[in-house]
């Protein structure tokens, strides 16, 4: 099938390359001529594991190409995907101007029976709106608009596309459903569930899914705070919860607050949609507020751990991306926490395997290092904000010798108190007692029972 992907960003590029991998003929289009030129030269302007190889392979097979021109490719396409940005607008709503512009651009070129597929995350009712926009430009044209939300996580996007839990097709007519079923037939053969519903439900499924996943994260962060007060271990609690098939293990890792290009934007849009349609989403409203305040409170916790030495202290931040395996820093906790530490008088150094260049555009006065040990040389404390494997496998004894202080604050719970104690480091993490030897000292009788009940043999 001939496919055009309008928008060659994180979603458009990955989706386009994966559709080519399924055997379709795909042209990715972007108004950013520099981005298209870079792609044409075989380079990939974003970091996504496996994407560059997938692009090269499908270009070599003649199934994937790039163009700054929209009309030409759109005029030949059976399916025209809209994967342009839908950034946040004031008040939490989303800005639909880019996607409406894209719809107006393709309208004059579309062939009869073309299916416009909205891949971008859009609020409920947008597909119907886009149908009006196109119909105004092409009176009498027979076409369809469908919703096909993506559930790709940065860092695992290719795996998520090729092995999805489900494919959601929002279609208001049979032709759209048929074209999208054909498009995803290779995945259907692998028994991937394909849900066909109307466009409004598909748009709602996307937002409700992201809001719910974000709620899971916000909840386990709250549980971590409680564990710290009662001497519990959030890792044990999360495991005990997650073994319940109705809850599941994923998205129960405490952290510095969720970031990225989706959860912060989508939760706010979901709240705005609730307000607009008089169905207030108060749980998600609370989540949004708490997630932002968490980043501030965790910055204050760093200062509290440093005490009166905070002003003038040197700290190395490990991790600038909003999560591991991406170079994306959008709404990353580091971009909130680092300026707060600087305002309190700390000298900040930073390391990130992929995101330094992107982070440097948002930070000032931060000494970037491409070696984590160099970043930690002579510092009073290390602060872990992103769960890169580079940090999980760090040589803690070498780190301890490199630092001048001994404080490691780990907001991703990448280490165990025992590991840190053995390395002579003072360890602060989320939802767990400071270290094995102090665990007993701070627990009440009740939580001691909790500790015994949850401690696995290797905890003894
Ligand atoms: C998310 C959704 O998972 C994906 O389905 C959707 O299509 C796009 O938005 P993404 O933003 O790439 O994907 O990353 P994700 O892995 O969901 O993490 C989002 C944020 O939550 C990150 O800041 C991450 O660090 C944080 N997180 C995630 C936690 O703090 N704890 C967890 O257990 C999981």
């Amino acid at each position: 099938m001939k496919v055009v992907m309008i928008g060659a960003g994180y979603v458009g590029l990955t989706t386009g390359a994966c559709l080519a991998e399924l055997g379709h003929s795909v042209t990715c289009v972007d108004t950013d001529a520099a981005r298209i030129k870079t792609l044409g030269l075989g380079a990939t302007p974003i970091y996504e594991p496996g994407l560059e190889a997938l692009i090269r392979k499908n270009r070599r097979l003649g199934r994937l190409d790039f163009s700054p021109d929209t009309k030409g490719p759109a005029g030949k396409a059976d399916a025209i995907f809209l994967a342009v940005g839908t950034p946040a607008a004031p008040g939490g709503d989303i800005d639909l101007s880019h996607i409406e512009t894209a719809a107006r651009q393709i309208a004059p070129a579309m062939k009869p029976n073309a299916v416009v597929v909205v891949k971008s995350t859009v609020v409920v009712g947008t597909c119907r709106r886009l149908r009006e926009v196109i119909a105004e430009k092409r009176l009498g044209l027979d076409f369809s608009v469908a919703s096909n939300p993506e559930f790709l996580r940065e860092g695992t996007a290719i795996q998520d596309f090729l092995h999805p839990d489900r494919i959601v097709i929002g279609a208001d007519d049979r032709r759209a459903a048929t074209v999208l079923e054909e498009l995803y037939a290779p995945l259907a053969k692998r028994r991937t569930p394909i849900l066909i519903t109307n466009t409004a439900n598909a748009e709602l499924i996307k937002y409700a899914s992201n809001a719910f996943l974000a709620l899971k994260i916000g909840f386990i962060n709250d549980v971590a705070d409680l564990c710290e007060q009662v001497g519990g271990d959030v890792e044990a609690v999360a495991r005990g919860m997650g073994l319940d098939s109705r809850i599941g293990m994923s998205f129960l890792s405490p952290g510095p607050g969720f970031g990225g290009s989706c959860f912060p934007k989508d939760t706010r849009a979901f709240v705005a949609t609730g307000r607009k349609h008089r169905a207030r989403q108060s749980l998600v409203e609370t989540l949004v507020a708490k997630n932002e305040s968490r980043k501030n409170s965790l910055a204050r916790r760093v200062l509290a751990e440093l005490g009166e030495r905070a002003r003038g202290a040197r700290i190395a931040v490990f991790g600038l991306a909003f999560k591991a395996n991406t170079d994306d820093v959008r709404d990353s906790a580091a971009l909130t926490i680092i300026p707060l530490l600087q305002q309190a008088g700390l000298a900040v150094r930073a390391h990130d395997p992929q995101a330094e260049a992107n982070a440097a555009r948002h930070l000032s006065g931060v000494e970037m290092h491409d070696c984590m040990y160099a970043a930690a040389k002579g510092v009073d404390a290390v602060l872990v904000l992103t769960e890169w494997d580079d940090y999980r496998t760090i040589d803690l004894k070498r780190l301890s010798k490199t630092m001048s202080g001994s404080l490691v604050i780990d907001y991703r719970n990448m280490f165990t108190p025992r590991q840190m104690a053995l390395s002579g480091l003072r360890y602060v993490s989320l939802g767990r007692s400071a270290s094995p030897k102090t665990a007993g000292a701070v627990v009440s009788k009740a939580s001691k029972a909790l500790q015994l009940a949850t401690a696995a043999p290797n905890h003894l």
Side-chain angles (χ1 to χ4, degrees):
M1 193 174 281
K2 270 198 142 334
V3 175
V4 163
M5 184 65 61
I6 310 285
Y10 280 91
V11 172
L13 209 40
T14 305
T15 304
C18 288
L19 286 172
E21 181 68 5
L22 294 187
H24 301 299
S25 168
V26 180
T27 300
C28 287
V29 169
D30 200 297
T31 52
D32 179 344
R35 176 176 282 258
I36 292 296
K37 185 161 182 272
T38 303
L39 288 160
L41 294 172
T44 306
I46 60 170
Y47 175 79
E48 179 62 45
L51 181 60
E52 187 149 308
L54 200 66
I55 289 174
R56 287 175 188 265
K57 171 189 171 188
N58 283 283
R59 288 195 70 209
R60 200 175 48 252
L61 293 170
R63 297 195 297 221
L64 178 63
D65 66 8
F66 303 100
S67 166
D69 167 41
T70 298
K71 289 189 171 45
K76 305 184 190 81
D78 305 300
I80 305 169
F81 279 75
L82 302 185
V84 296
T86 51
D93 236 329
I94 62 164
D95 172 1
L96 291 170
S97 61
H98 303 294
I99 201 163
E100 289 190 8
T101 301
R104 290 193 184 89
Q105 278 178 341
I106 62 174
M110 283 164 58
K111 68 181 188 181
N113 299 325
V115 177
V116 176
V117 186
V118 179
K119 180 57 81 172
S120 303
T121 300
V122 293
V123 291
V124 62
T126 300
C127 284
R128 298 221 169 102
R129 166 72 186 134
L130 293 175
R131 179 170 186 78
E132 292 163 7
V133 166
I134 295 169
E136 280 162 23
K137 302 284 280 186
R138 288 286 297 275
L139 288 175
L141 176 72
D142 203 358
F143 70 98
S144 304
V145 177
S147 168
N148 176 221
E150 51 83 17
F151 301 98
L152 309 180
R153 291 166 294 168
E154 291 184 42
T156 57
I158 293 171
Q159 165 72 13
D160 292 342
F161 184 101
L162 296 176
H163 303 283
D165 289 335
R166 79 302 201 187
I167 293 168
V168 173
I169 295 172
D172 294 330
D173 62 62
R174 187 66 219 144
R175 178 186 47 231
T178 304
V179 165
L180 280 164
E181 280 178 309
E182 188 185 329
L183 201 77
Y184 288 109
L187 296 180
K189 282 195 195 109
R190 297 183 198 153
R191 307 255 178 277
T192 300
I194 295 186
L195 170 71
I196 297 179
T197 182
N198 64 34
T199 53
N201 288 339
E203 290 163 337
L204 285 167
I205 287 168
K206 172 63 183 177
Y207 273 104
S209 299
N210 269 9
F212 185 76
L213 289 168
L215 277 168
K216 278 188 88 172
I217 296 166
F219 182 74
I220 202 64
N221 284 340
D222 277 355
V223 170
D225 290 350
L226 175 60
C227 286
E228 285 162 16
Q229 299 310 316
V230 298
D233 176 340
V234 71
E235 303 300 332
V237 173
R239 179 164 169 70
M241 289 168 63
L243 287 168
D244 182 324
S245 60
R246 297 167 302 171
I247 298 173
M249 288 291 188
S250 60
F251 284 66
L252 286 179
S253 304
F258 56 76
S261 61
C262 298
F263 281 0
K265 172 171 74 79
D266 293 356
T267 47
R268 287 187 177 90
F270 197 60
V271 167
T273 299
R275 281 206 194 105
K276 183 175 175 184
H277 298 284
R278 290 190 303 285
R280 187 161 180 182
Q281 300 299 308
S282 51
L283 291 175
V284 182
E285 279 184 34
T286 304
L287 170 73
V288 168
K290 287 211 72 175
N291 191 63
E292 278 320 298
S293 64
R294 180 172 184 77
K295 297 174 186 175
N296 292 282
S297 68
L298 289 182
R300 288 196 297 276
R301 195 181 296 187
V302 173
L303 304 180
E305 289 297 339
L306 286 166
E308 68 278 4
R309 288 184 295 111
R311 184 160 291 282
R314 290 159 301 174
I315 190 164
V317 172
F318 282 2
L320 299 169
F322 80 92
K323 59 181 267 193
N325 301 317
T326 181
D327 62 354
D328 197 345
V329 297
R330 285 176 285 186
D331 264 301
S332 170
L335 300 192
T336 299
I337 290 174
I338 288 176
L340 292 171
L341 299 180
Q342 292 175 306
Q343 286 158 31
L346 276 73
V348 180
R349 298 167 164 191
H351 171 273
D352 187 287
Q354 293 291 342
E356 278 175 31
N358 287 339
R361 284 194 277 276
H362 300 272
L363 296 168
S364 59
V366 175
E367 198 181 295
M368 297 291 186
H369 288 266
D370 56 12
C371 164
M372 52 190 167
Y373 296 105
K377 188 165 176 43
V379 298
D380 300 289
V382 164
L383 170 61
V384 180
L385 290 180
T386 311
E387 70 289 11
W388 285 102
D389 280 344
D390 303 47
Y391 308 137
R392 204 183 302 280
T393 54
I394 195 169
D395 176 342
L396 291 171
K397 291 208 183 313
R398 179 179 168 191
L399 177 68
S400 178
K401 289 196 187 86
T402 300
M403 296 169 64
S404 69
S406 62
L407 173 61
V408 173
I409 301 173
D410 173 11
Y411 287 158
R412 292 292 188 169
N413 286 4
M414 295 184 77
F415 306 99
T416 66
R418 183 205 301 259
Q419 268 181 293
M420 300 312 255
L422 290 174
S423 306
L425 292 165
R426 182 159 78 86
Y427 186 48
V428 173
S429 61
L430 299 177
R432 300 187 293 183
S433 305
S435 66
K437 58 180 182 299
T438 58
V442 298
V443 295
S444 66
K445 196 175 291 179
S447 45
K448 199 156 188 63
L450 166 80
Q451 208 184 34
L452 291 173
T454 52
N458 65 352
H459 282 226
L460 300 178

